[in-house]
Amino acid sequence: MGMIQANGIRTHYQLMPAKNPATPEPPTVVFIHGLGYDSLASFYLTLAAPVSQAGINVITYDLRAHGRSDRPVSGYRVADFVEDLRALLDETDVEGPVYLVGNSFGGTIAFSFAERYPSRVRSIVAIEAEPATHEWSRKIGGTLTNVVDWMEDPEILAWLEDTYGAHHARLSKVASAVIRATTIVEEVPQGPLLDAEALRGIRCPVLSIVGSEGFQSDNLLAVQSSLPDCRTEVIDGQNHSVLVERHRTVRSLLLDWVDEIEAIPAEVEVGAA
Amino acid sequence: MTTTPITEVPSQEAVLEEISSMLLRVLDQYGLDGFDDTGEIAGKITLDTTFHDELGLESIDLVTVGSMLTDRYGEQVNLAAFLADLDIDDVIGMRVGLLVDFVRTALSRPRLAGS
């Protein structure tokens, strides 16, 4: 287990180096998990090993207030998560442009990171994820408030206990207390938000993987239509849990995508010797 | 990284004992909520014990156990690679016995040169 100090946060991360890489400098994928009851485990237990075995360097980490990383009382704007990622890449000496693969809120971080540090991103794979737009802010604000209320609702807790056991009801109470102990619900929706012009500035190729019944079911192509270079893959009959429930599908989409992007000749760098 | 080659596959009992002590170390971080002491739970971990429901561990704990297994048995024992081939329901319902079998199978596999 790796712990590293990044942007003032003691951060839990896991590296899986590329196995038998095809080139001396194999591509690097950074997996970014989602918000709330999530951790690097969602990627570590599904995609991390097969992707590293395909000859790709893998980094995954626990976001602040998640998994085994520190939980400060405040500092939960998207921009804070972007700086955490920048610091993690600096501290782990990852210099080349990387593939950011983000699940849900992890994808939101990826978009804002690419907008802030375009030269450090080769491509984004967004799983059930949207950029931090005004519309996203409105949705996530409502969802976060509802989730915390839901997690403490006596009827819900009773149902959890009956269905999954007392342990789950306890976990739910603990998780909501953790959320309430921070400013996460208030700060996340603040972004800062990306307007149409900022989105047009995200020029790297993007693969948007969405469930037909997921969080973007009202407009599956909304992300694609707001970005200059984005393709959408729809997983039929799937709700928001695309990553954990359909990890084999996501794995093959991701590996094919990396192959496709790696086959594109690198841009000639202006001013390079 | 070099690891001590294990020439003989350890017995089921031996692996269960190792894994039980790893699980206790993970549970220790949570202060063993709901259990009187480590002795009480140590005796209760069997091949049939469920990781999730009975021990109350979460998926992030599996990541920790995976690192412990690799530290103990070498790179050949790659829990993340094993779990990546399971469905989510199998991971959620996982019993300690599945971990024990996984370790013994991984150790019995001939190692490829350079892997």
Side-chain angles (χ1 to χ4, degrees), chain A residues 164-165 167-168, chain B residues 16 19 23 27 35 41 44-58 61-62 89-99:
Chain A
Y164 297 107
H167 173 65
H168 282 257
Chain B
L16 176 61
I19 289 179
L23 292 172
L27 283 165
F35 297 98
I41 189 165
K44 281 186 181 168
I45 298 179
T46 69
L47 295 171
D48 278 333
T49 303
T50 55
F51 199 84
H52 197 250
D53 285 349
E54 291 177 63
L55 294 176
L57 294 171
E58 302 171 49
D61 300 316
L62 269 176
D89 291 344
D90 297 330
V91 176
I92 290 173
M94 196 166 78
R95 291 173 194 279
V96 171
L98 186 72
L99 273 186

Side-chain angles (χ1 to χ4, degrees), chain A residues 1 61 77 85 89 98 106-107 161 191 193 200 207 217 225 233 238:
Chain A
M1 175 162 98
Y61 67 107
R77 297 190 318 152
L85 174 56
L89 295 178
V98 297
E161 185 158 347
L193 304 181
R200 281 194 296 274
L207 177 66
S217 58
S225 55
E233 291 281 349
Q238 179 60 50

